[in-house]
Amino acid sequence: MRYFSNSIPLSDKFLKRYFNCNELLLYVEKASTILRNVHSNGIVCQDLSFENILVNDEGMFRFVI
């Protein structure tokens, strides 16, 4: 992705028949923590989905709004 090198939308990461459920839960937990921090700073985003959460090979996240 142009915004975050070597990254894909989080939704694409799990668009396969078999995946590690523990890995999925870890990503959801990371995304929830980031979202909680964003909300605690008074920022409200109404169009947030796994489509606009980018994750790279190292498991780092970026929200693209």
Side-chain angles (χ1 to χ4, degrees), residues 14 20-32 61:
F14 298 100
N20 183 331
C21 289
N22 289 332
E23 184 182 12
L24 172 64
L25 293 174
L26 286 173
Y27 282 105
V28 170
E29 181 182 21
K30 285 181 183 181
S32 297
F61 280 69

Side-chain angles (χ1 to χ4, degrees), residues 40-58:
S40 70
N41 286 307
I43 301 169
V44 178
C45 175
Q46 295 182 7
D47 184 29
L48 189 62
S49 70
F50 282 1
E51 293 295 317
N52 51 18
I53 299 173
L54 302 180
V55 61
N56 70 5
D57 295 335
E58 290 84 39

